[in-house]
């Protein structure tokens, strides 16, 4: 596997944090710290912050993503946001299938697949999250489960469209807990995901796809995690809310 053929992507997942004004303040702090980054830098922000974030990022190397979307185009889906709406305010990326959405909002592999297809057909780049719970890991089904989540989420996605997909391996037990997967664990599961891509789409697609690790990645452990051949960046929760820490991770991914 040649890591050099892939562009590292560091994406912040702000979750339910920041008002539009606070979002602009944080982006303005991040901007100068990441301006020379050779990897891709994304901030995924709450819906109400998207417009302000896109404007604050204009003319910079920071791209903006949403944290979720609905798969339907429009209609009677109170409280939901469509891909069209995200595009209309300049959103480029969208986090899909995050474990918090699966856990608290009833998302399934099937709805995640519908969302991935809707995002791609509207020109949005999905950051597709997969990962096992602690129970799954203890039951030694991590690899099978993550392979299945990946396969189902990508059903009917063409090889061409796959070029716009980023996959984030996020062990549920490591998200927001301060417990990080070891770099070997992250590399192993990212490798399993890459093998699924190879099986379904072939070697070239598998070499090209960006597979991030997410789960308590921070300024202290990022070097070790990002050094692994199958870890092409990170999806960062807590540490993405601190400009200096986020920038440290971005700059580690550019080495
Ligand atoms: C996440 O929300 O995707 C995440 C990885 O969170 P944290 O970095 O806080 O574990």
């Amino acid at each position: 596997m040649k890591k050099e053929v892939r562009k590292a992507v560091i994406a912040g997942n702000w979750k339910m944090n920041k008002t539009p004004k606070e979002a602009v303040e944080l982006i303005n702090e991040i901007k100068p710290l990441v301006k020379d980054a050779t990897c891709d830098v994304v901030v995924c922000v709450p819906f109400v912050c998207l417009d302000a974030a896109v404007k604050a990022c204009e003319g910079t190397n920071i791209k903006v993503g949403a944290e979720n979307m609905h798969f339907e185009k429009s209609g009677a889906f109170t409280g939901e946001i469509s891909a069209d709406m995200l595009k209309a305010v300049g959103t480029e990326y969208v986090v899909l299938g995050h474990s918090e959405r699966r856990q608290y909002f009833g998302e399934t592999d099937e709805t995640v697949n519908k969302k991935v297809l809707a995002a791609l057909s509207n020109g949005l780049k999905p950051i597709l999250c997969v990962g096992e719970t602690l129970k799954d890991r203890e039951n030694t089904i991590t690899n099978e489960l993550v392979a299945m989540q990946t396969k189902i989420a990508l059903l009917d996605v063409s090889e061409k469209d796959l070029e716009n997909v980023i996959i984030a391996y996020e062990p549920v037990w490591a998200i927001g807990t301060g417990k990080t997967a070891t770099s070997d664990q992250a590399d192993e599961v990212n490798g399993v995901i890459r093998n699924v891509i190879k099986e379904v789409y072939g070697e070239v697609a598998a070499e090209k796809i960006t597979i991030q690790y997410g789960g308590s990645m921070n300024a202290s452990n990022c070097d070790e995690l990002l050094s692994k051949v199958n870890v092409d960046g990170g999806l960062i929760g807590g540490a993405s809310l601190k400009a200096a820490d986020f920038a440290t991770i971005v700059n580690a991914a550019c080495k």
Side-chain angles (χ1 to χ4, degrees):
M1 285 292 158
K2 293 185 229 79
K3 193 167 174 154
E4 318 76 68
V5 302
R6 302 184 284 275
K7 193 154 197 187
V9 181
I10 299 294
N13 173 23
W14 290 8
K15 314 196 190 204
M16 197 171 70
N17 293 293
K18 305 292 175 191
T19 62
K21 183 171 171 285
E22 290 165 346
V24 172
E25 284 164 5
L26 179 54
I27 288 167
N28 285 340
E29 265 188 81
I30 296 171
K31 273 185 211 172
L33 306 178
V34 303
K35 68 176 177 9
D36 299 321
T38 50
C39 64
D40 284 350
V41 184
V42 185
V43 289
C44 299
V45 306
F47 290 136
V48 294
C49 298
L50 284 169
D51 191 40
V54 168
K55 287 182 180 127
C57 291
E58 251 163 34
T60 76
N61 58 338
I62 306 174
K63 313 272 194 331
V64 177
E67 300 175 13
N68 179 35
M69 54 165 252
H70 197 270
F71 48 82
E72 290 292 350
K73 213 174 162 44
S74 61
F77 301 100
T78 302
E80 292 291 334
I81 298 286
S82 71
D84 273 354
M85 293 170 185
L86 296 183
K87 280 295 280 183
V89 292
T91 312
E92 275 187 59
Y93 291 80
V94 59
V95 176
L96 295 176
H98 191 281
S99 64
E100 287 153 16
R101 304 271 343 149
R102 294 180 193 250
Q103 191 180 346
Y104 305 125
F105 302 99
E107 291 212 359
T108 63
D109 291 331
E110 288 71 26
T111 57
V112 173
N113 174 237
K114 287 185 183 181
K115 290 181 179 200
V116 168
L117 292 169
L120 289 167
S121 63
N122 284 283
L124 288 165
K125 296 178 183 157
I127 300 176
L128 162 65
C129 302
V130 294
E132 83 288 3
T133 62
L134 188 57
K135 194 156 173 253
D136 298 327
R137 182 161 279 271
E138 285 167 354
N139 287 335
T140 66
I141 58 168
T142 297
N143 294 355
E144 290 86 347
L145 185 96
V146 168
M148 186 188 74
Q149 289 175 336
T150 306
K151 275 189 189 170
I152 298 176
L154 294 177
L155 283 174
D156 296 327
V157 171
S158 68
E159 193 179 338
K160 182 89 199 92
D161 277 346
L162 188 74
E163 289 176 15
N164 288 318
V165 176
I166 293 169
I167 300 176
Y169 165 54
E170 296 212 308
V172 180
W173 48 271
I175 297 178
T177 58
K179 284 188 200 140
T180 318
T182 64
S183 57
D184 285 340
Q185 286 171 327
D187 196 43
E188 181 191 344
V189 183
N190 280 29
V192 167
I193 296 169
R194 204 175 300 287
N195 273 335
V196 168
I197 300 299
K198 185 173 165 189
E199 196 186 302
V200 180
Y201 295 94
E203 180 122 32
V204 175
E207 287 278 358
K208 275 202 286 192
I209 193 159
T210 294
I211 307 177
Q212 302 172 317
Y213 167 78
S216 300
M217 194 190 278
N218 58 39
S220 312
N221 61 25
C222 59
D223 275 318
E224 170 66 19
L225 287 160
L226 293 166
S227 71
K228 292 293 174 178
V229 70
N230 280 305
V231 179
D232 309 315
L235 183 56
I236 321 297
S240 71
L241 295 169
K242 295 181 201 120
D245 289 4
F246 185 62
T248 299
I249 301 169
V250 167
N251 293 317
C254 301
K255 283 179 193 158

